[in-house]
Amino acid sequence: MSLSHDIVQDDRYLVRYLLGLLPDDEAERLDEASIVDDEVAFRVRNVEEDLVDAYVAGTLDQDTRQRFGAVYLASPLRREKVRYAERFLGAVDRTPLSSEVVTPRVARFSARPAVNPRVASHSRFLWPLAAAAMVVLSFGAMLFEEVRLRQELADAQRQSAALVDRSRNLEKELDDQRAVNTDTRREVDRIRTAPLPTPALVLLPQMRATAPVSTVAVPSGTGVVRFDLRLETNDFARYQVALRDPATNVIVWRSDILTPEPARRPPTISLAIPSSVMKPQHYLLELTGRTAAGGSESVASYGFKIELR
Amino acid sequence: MDVLTREVVQGDSAVTAVAFARLLDWLDDGSNSQGQTYLEMRRRLVSYFDRRNRPFADELADETFNRIGKTLETDGAIATRPPARYCYVIARFVLLEDIRRASRTVPAEEGRNAAAIERGRVLPDADDAAVQERRLTCLDRCLQELKPEQRDLAIEYYRDAKRQRIDRRRSLAERLGITMNALGIRASRIRNALETCMDACCKSRG
């Protein structure tokens, strides 16, 4: 029979080892076996788990419990094992087997005690435990309430921050919209105040004095009045136009040298006359052709009437 | 850990990738456990140092591995077999050295813990409620993530107390056709895996 076989058969011996109750030489022998011998290593681990579970469940006898508190709990790592056992056994107790009927979990906090319920069954410490449990529960409730309030505060702060962000976004959108509106208004103003483009009035050369006279309606604020003078023939490279007041026979305005648009058919002379030089009356446009030698020849005349609106 | 010990451990802690790879191979002793043997041995060493009341058992376990790794790196091989026995030999040296160093100083942390325990503060490192709740949530989730047969085994093995627990385990072992020891090993591994899962879950949730 091997050493390890002897050891693994005696849980109480291993418990004494774990609680530091073995003589040094025996403890050292177990130290080595718990590292070198797989069977001992796992057995020591199992016994240690059961020892911790029994402490959590409150099923240790008084001497063992005191020894456990004095020796085992002296180490942070071992205290962590106890805490894990509390959680683990609680989880095991809450979890049904696959074959068991699964009941819905409600009231999570009440269904999941901080201390495993196995502890409460330890009758010798019932009243002190009950009192301690009340304190723990009260403290736990306060903690829970504080956590809940902190959570609510954090939520409220998050919502507040979100509202501030939203408000900023809306303000920015509003500013953008205002800027757009300002631009739009400015554009409208510009269009409103800008001189309206007026379509060119197409005038044909007067053939007869009795021909009807074209009327040009000039809106108020119009800067220039445009004319397209049709030519019967395009005999000159350059032309000039004079605006004559037939009532006074005075030329009130004269154009620069003009050239017909080469692609336009029939040939046409385009010009623009400032509306300021014209009054609501009849006028005569006299078209002359300029010769290469510097002379001029009368080509045609175009009559029209101005009406101000 | 007292200052002197910390300095010594930190000074020896630089193990190269080559040394670590050789350590893993050496621990596997011909098999390929994909690091499982290393993890198991580290756990045993940590428990060993902890049972000897060394306040920084994790670091001493790592120091043990570092020394073995350096030996493997320089000598290429270690004659002592099995590897676990050599681990114990080195761990014992590390333990004795740590005890000798600690006797020269009184770690303030250790003294404070002992005083707290004497005053009846059973679990002085208790988590706050939020951490506790997060751990419980994670543990529940990890338990649900187990395969059904593993979950059932853990529940049946660890449920109840005392007599009922023993009877239940015996019945379970018979049903599975394995020894009680084998059942215990299997259950312990699930319990350990759940703890690892819970820790990882808690870290990921910050």
Side-chain angles (χ1 to χ4, degrees), chain A residues 219-240:
Chain A
S220 172
T222 301
V224 294
V225 181
R226 298 178 187 282
F227 296 91
D228 280 349
L229 307 181
R230 293 280 168 83
L231 304 177
E232 287 187 322
T233 58
N234 186 14
D235 299 327
F236 298 89
R238 299 183 301 165
Y239 295 87
Q240 191 168 28

Side-chain angles (χ1 to χ4, degrees), chain A residues 132-143:
Chain A
M134 287 298 291
V135 172
V136 168
L137 282 173
S138 302
F139 186 61
M142 286 169 62
L143 272 178

Side-chain angles (χ1 to χ4, degrees), chain B residues 11 21 30-31 33 39 44 48 84 91 94 103 106-108 112 125 141 146 149 153 173 178 187 191 198-199 201 206:
Chain B
S31 64
S33 73
L39 293 176
R44 290 181 193 180
Y48 165 68
V94 171
S103 66
V106 179
R112 193 166 66 234
D125 308 317
R141 203 179 81 177
L146 286 176
E149 59 270 23
L153 188 149
I178 56 178
R191 180 172 173 149
M198 181 190 73
D199 289 342
C201 168

